[in-house]
Amino acid sequence: MCGISVLFHQQSLSSNLFDKFLVSLKKIDHRGQDDEGIILINTKSGNYKIIRTDKTHPEVKNAVEINDISLSDYNLILGHKRLSIVDLSIHGHQPMQGKDGSWLVFNGEIYNYIELREELKLLGSHFISNSDTEVLLEAYRIWGTDCLNKFNGMWSFCLWDNANKKIFISNDRFGVKSLYYISNTDNFTLFSETKQYSNFQDFTGGYNYKYIQDFSEFGLIDNGETTIFSKIFKFRKSHYIIINPIKIDNNIFTKSIQYYKIKKKAVLLNFNEAVEKYNYLLNSAVSLRMRSDVDYGFALSGGLDSSTIIALAKNILSKENKTNKIKTFSAVFPGHFNSDESEHIKLVTDHLSLDSKFINPFDRFNFNDFETHVYHQDKPLQTTSYFAQWSVYWLAKKNNIKVLLNGQGADEVFAGYHHHFYRYSRYLLTRGKIREYFSLVKAYSFIKGIDSKKIHKLIFNEVRLSLQIKLKVKKFDNLLIKHFNEIDNLDELLLYDFDTFLLPTYLRADDRDSMAFGIESRHPFMDYRMVEFGYSLPNNFIIKDGWQKYIMREAKVDLPKEILYRKDKKGFTTPQEIWLKKFKSEFDLYLKYNKIVLGKERLSNYIFRDYSLGAWLKVNQKK
């Protein structure tokens, strides 16, 4: 996992553009401190020059100093910051050249690169490295754009196809590795993080005030292609584009092609067969994501998702006769009962004999670190939970970890959130499935220890809302919120949370927090095979007898019963009210930045959103 920078100008480069490019690349030093690479390309002739900087690996051959060339001879720059994870040698350096003269800058991991390399060898390919980057290049040479459907991983990349004089750009299926762009009539830029545009102020178009308002009022922040800047856009996930350098226009990126879409497919399995397949797929997903030439660890929250991954990882290591202890990293809040996961974390660490490290984000909180956190996030934050995540990565970095596996994605696939239960109950009731409805509520009431009358009331409110929407009595100021409330069935709701409403925000936050410390974050539950399988299951395989994530619990991985059948769900919560009260006077200072930039201190009733917005405006203006 790394960071990339791309700048294309249809005419030719200038020293001013190149200097700005260098600054943009430096802005993501944190994403890859192991190596740096830059190449200049003439898209008409295919001629190129490899540029040496003070951070370029000394063994890179044929590299020249920028002062020794004429910039006007080139019009495309590919830049790369390397975090060495697989094949730590010089053979993994980027930009990497393919056998046909193509050049690639790539951020992410292709987890099944070993299997693909063997498949390509049978087709006549030869390799000089053990890197997934070389596999990506060769896969494109052999299969063209069809290679994307063969990759199991996360990626954003830009490839100069020298044979065809085209530029090939792609983002992974689920948008794990973000890519941002600005396109004009004769040029475009492509970056891993929006902060890379801070020295391109004439490009960005200023702040997107509608975006800011949607964040302040509704907490929406990563729900489409727009960003907090009016002219910076996010490249579409599960899309690719092939650009002819001769034909560039403002709307070129809107012509990208979708190569993948999650589709719910009927699965003809009984429940026991489904459990067996779940176990096989998740074991495979975890095993693939344990491939690393550097030290790796696991985030442990005390919940079912992260605990399941760790239990499977230990079993995998045991089968490989590896006795090293698994390293885990957790955020705890001793003394804050509603937020602290210490009890459940200890159950897992004791049961699996883990090498566990803990951090209390509340105790280590300071405003310099908070502002650094907000700066790296590239956007304001909805809650202090993100600072807890930031602290976990800080702890992992302190322990020399470069890869961290976590449980992201399981809730959105296997119905882990509270609103999934209530929407499914609404569906049963409005479809006349009365017996199933009452049975489910009774079981849920017993498990959660909540009066069934209270649950019925909440579900009836859901039904009332559904009727108001259908009768057009209820109106919404935001289309995303409107559609979220219109959805009447669990299948569509899960897909909406995964694809649009919830997960994109969590993924971007996780990427920024991990990469701020030079750590690659991996998500076994987001293996595309796992996602497709989860969305193929009937509803009663994932919500049954009052339990959510039912199939995950019945898979019976090696965990204490208190974890497998844990009744509460906290979801990485923090003692936010106490946090804000303790530091109120300091947090209030951020409101003045809202007033300076936006004309008013408060934009919503959610005070932390306004605090974090002010903090982001402050650090963005400074840097």
Side-chain angles (χ1 to χ4, degrees):
M1 187 185 298
C2 312
I4 65 175
S5 297
V6 177
L7 189 153
F8 169 81
H9 202 288
Q10 203 165 42
Q11 304 306 316
S12 62
L13 299 175
S14 65
S15 59
N16 180 47
L17 276 177
F18 185 76
D19 288 344
K20 286 184 175 183
F21 180 87
L22 288 179
V23 174
S24 78
L25 192 58
K26 183 176 177 58
K27 290 283 184 181
I28 53 169
D29 275 352
H30 53 277
R31 295 190 72 95
Q33 298 183 359
D34 297 322
D35 192 8
E36 179 176 274
I38 298 174
I39 187 167
L40 306 182
I41 298 171
N42 183 311
T43 60
K44 293 180 180 178
S45 66
N47 293 337
Y48 65 88
K49 284 292 183 183
I50 302 168
I51 304 301
R52 180 174 298 283
T53 72
D54 59 351
K55 296 179 181 178
T56 303
H57 197 290
E59 294 181 34
V60 173
K61 297 178 181 179
N62 303 320
V64 300
E65 301 293 332
I66 188 63
N67 294 329
D68 295 336
I69 65 168
S70 172
L71 282 168
S72 61
D73 291 339
Y74 307 93
N75 64 335
L76 174 64
I77 320 176
L78 304 182
H80 187 263
K81 299 294 299 187
R82 187 182 183 199
L83 179 66
S84 303
I85 302 294
V86 173
D87 190 345
L88 311 185
S89 74
I90 184 62
H91 294 304
H93 174 82
Q94 295 186 48
M96 183 180 288
Q97 188 175 30
K99 293 177 178 58
D100 58 355
S102 296
W103 287 94
L104 171 69
V105 284
F106 160 48
N107 169 30
E109 293 285 351
I110 307 300
Y111 301 121
N112 63 333
Y113 72 98
I114 294 176
E115 290 79 6
L116 290 176
R117 186 170 60 201
E118 294 306 309
E119 186 176 348
L120 288 163
K121 283 180 179 179
L122 294 175
L123 298 174
S125 296
H126 301 278
F127 296 88
I128 63 171
S129 78
N130 292 312
S131 74
D132 56 335
T133 308
E134 189 180 12
V135 170
L136 195 163
L137 269 166
E138 191 66 359
Y140 174 70
R141 187 180 73 86
I142 298 297
W143 295 313
T145 58
D146 288 342
C147 68
L148 299 173
N149 288 306
K150 288 180 170 287
F151 297 154
N152 186 339
M154 53 185 183
W155 66 83
S156 59
F157 65 75
C158 179
L159 186 153
W160 166 244
D161 181 346
N162 191 58
N164 297 295
K165 300 295 184 289
K166 300 288 177 66
I167 301 169
F168 175 38
I169 299 163
S170 175
N171 192 216
D172 62 68
R173 293 174 180 85
F174 308 133
V176 180
K177 297 289 100 188
S178 301
L179 200 55
Y180 300 92
Y181 69 88
I182 292 179
S183 178
N184 294 305
T185 53
D186 62 352
N187 63 73
F188 70 81
T189 51
L190 199 67
F191 293 145
S192 291
E193 300 185 8
T194 58
K195 65 174 62 65
Q196 293 176 258
Y197 285 101
S198 62
N199 60 311
F200 288 89
Q201 294 296 336
D202 50 332
F203 280 29
T204 62
Y207 296 127
N208 180 341
Y209 293 99
K210 175 65 166 61
Y211 186 94
I212 290 172
Q213 194 67 37
D214 283 345
F215 164 73
S216 297
E217 289 187 15
F218 309 111
L220 301 174
I221 198 164
D222 286 281
N223 307 88
E225 295 157 44
T226 59
T227 72
I228 204 165
F229 296 100
S230 60
K231 289 187 178 180
I232 301 176
F233 295 91
K234 188 175 183 181
F235 191 84
R236 297 171 182 172
K237 61 193 170 193
S238 66
H239 278 66
Y240 74 87
I241 187 169
I242 294 182
I243 296 176
N244 182 343
I246 299 174
K247 300 177 181 178
I248 298 290
D249 61 61
N250 286 350
N251 301 315
I252 188 70
F253 284 94
T254 64
K255 300 170 185 176
S256 61
I257 298 168
Q258 186 170 11
Y259 66 87
Y260 177 81
K261 186 176 182 180
I262 302 172
K263 295 180 180 178
K264 183 174 176 64
K265 304 172 184 176
V267 57
L268 302 177
L269 299 174
N270 61 40
F271 185 74
N272 289 335
E273 291 170 335
V275 168
E276 186 176 346
K277 187 169 183 178
Y278 164 89
N279 280 325
Y280 166 77
L281 289 174
L282 190 55
N283 265 286
S284 174
V286 173
S287 181
L288 285 177
R289 284 155 185 80
M290 291 168 68
R291 289 177 171 173
S292 171
D293 293 334
V294 296
D295 288 342
Y296 61 85
F298 298 79
L300 174 58
S301 69
L304 178 62
D305 309 344
S306 59
S307 301
T308 294
I309 289 171
I310 294 166
L312 293 177
K314 181 170 183 181
N315 186 53
I316 290 167
L317 290 174
S318 177
K319 289 181 178 179
E320 295 174 353
N321 296 316
K322 295 179 180 178
T323 58
N324 50 304
K325 278 195 170 185
I326 286 178
K327 299 176 181 179
T328 66
F329 303 89
S330 306
V332 295
F333 298 93
H336 301 284
F337 175 76
N338 290 328
S339 304
D340 187 41
E341 300 268 19
S342 299
E343 177 185 350
H344 292 91
I345 291 171
K346 190 174 187 304
L347 283 170
V348 178
T349 57
D350 288 351
H351 181 77
L352 297 175
S353 299
L354 306 175
D355 178 4
S356 303
K357 307 293 181 184
F358 307 92
I359 191 167
N360 185 338
F362 188 65
D363 280 355
R364 71 173 293 268
F365 180 81
N366 67 77
F367 280 88
N368 286 335
D369 196 28
F370 177 70
E371 289 184 7
T372 302
H373 169 45
V374 172
Y375 168 73
H376 277 284
Q377 278 291 311
D378 266 347
K379 295 179 182 180
L381 316 166
Q382 293 99 326
T383 72
T384 52
S385 294
Y386 296 103
F387 187 81
Q389 176 180 265
W390 165 269
S391 300
V392 168
Y393 282 114
W394 177 88
L395 180 64
K397 174 70 171 181
K398 186 179 177 183
N399 286 270
N400 301 312
I401 295 295
K402 290 186 78 170
V403 172
L404 201 70
L405 281 72
N406 67 42
Q408 194 67 265
D411 283 322
E412 292 80 3
V413 176
F414 296 103
Y417 296 122
H418 298 307
H419 66 272
H420 294 152
F421 172 82
Y422 287 103
R423 192 62 58 89
Y424 180 51
S425 299
R426 173 175 116 178
Y427 169 82
L428 292 176
L429 193 57
T430 57
R431 296 305 188 279
K433 299 182 178 183
I434 306 302
R435 180 180 296 178
E436 293 175 44
Y437 166 77
F438 277 104
S439 176
L440 184 65
V441 170
K442 181 179 179 181
Y444 187 80
S445 171
F446 177 77
I447 292 167
K448 299 293 185 182
I450 304 173
D451 190 328
S452 60
K453 292 180 181 178
K454 186 176 181 179
I455 298 171
H456 286 307
K457 184 177 180 180
L458 290 170
I459 296 168
F460 290 157
N461 287 337
E462 280 269 321
V463 173
R464 184 183 299 111
L465 176 62
S466 177
L467 290 171
Q468 289 173 334
I469 292 170
K470 289 176 181 178
L471 294 172
K472 298 184 179 181
V473 175
K474 179 71 175 178
K475 295 182 179 180
F476 296 90
D477 295 328
N478 183 276
L479 292 177
L480 289 169
I481 300 290
K482 179 177 183 290
H483 184 61
F484 174 83
N485 286 287
E486 284 176 333
I487 295 171
D488 248 349
N489 64 80
L490 183 61
D491 296 336
E492 189 180 347
L493 183 63
L494 291 172
L495 280 168
Y496 193 60
D497 280 348
F498 187 94
D499 195 49
T500 305
F501 202 66
L502 294 179
L503 191 60
T505 298
Y506 301 151
L507 291 176
R508 189 261 313 156
D510 187 51
D511 173 77
R512 298 303 189 277
D513 281 345
S514 62
M515 292 308 299
F517 296 103
I519 294 173
E520 177 171 296
S521 178
R522 297 179 174 181
H523 321 95
F525 279 107
M526 293 192 64
D527 185 304
Y528 77 96
R529 299 168 301 164
M530 237 5 249
V531 173
E532 290 175 351
F533 168 73
Y535 286 135
S536 73
L537 297 173
N539 292 162
N540 64 352
F541 281 20
I542 57 177
I543 298 182
K544 185 177 181 180
D545 297 339
W547 293 103
Q548 296 172 247
K549 299 183 185 174
Y550 184 72
I551 191 171
M552 291 180 62
R553 302 176 196 278
E554 290 294 300
K556 300 292 193 302
V557 295
D558 183 21
L559 287 170
K561 187 176 180 180
E562 295 89 339
I563 300 297
L564 284 175
Y565 294 95
R566 185 174 171 181
K567 296 180 180 181
D568 63 327
K569 177 175 177 57
K570 293 183 178 177
F572 217 58
T573 56
T574 62
Q576 181 164 295
E577 290 185 13
I578 299 171
W579 210 323
L580 298 185
K581 185 177 181 180
K582 180 178 180 180
F583 299 105
K584 186 178 187 305
S585 59
E586 293 95 333
F587 270 120
D588 280 344
L589 292 175
Y590 292 127
L591 299 182
K592 75 176 184 180
Y593 289 96
N594 288 338
K595 191 168 185 178
I596 291 169
V597 179
L598 306 174
K600 54 184 176 180
E601 295 178 348
R602 297 296 308 278
L603 282 78
S604 72
N605 294 321
Y606 300 92
I607 184 65
F608 183 75
R609 292 180 193 169
D610 288 328
Y611 284 151
S612 67
L613 177 59
W616 183 83
L617 290 168
K618 177 185 176 183
V619 298
N620 186 63
Q621 288 180 326
K622 284 186 175 181
K623 300 187 179 184

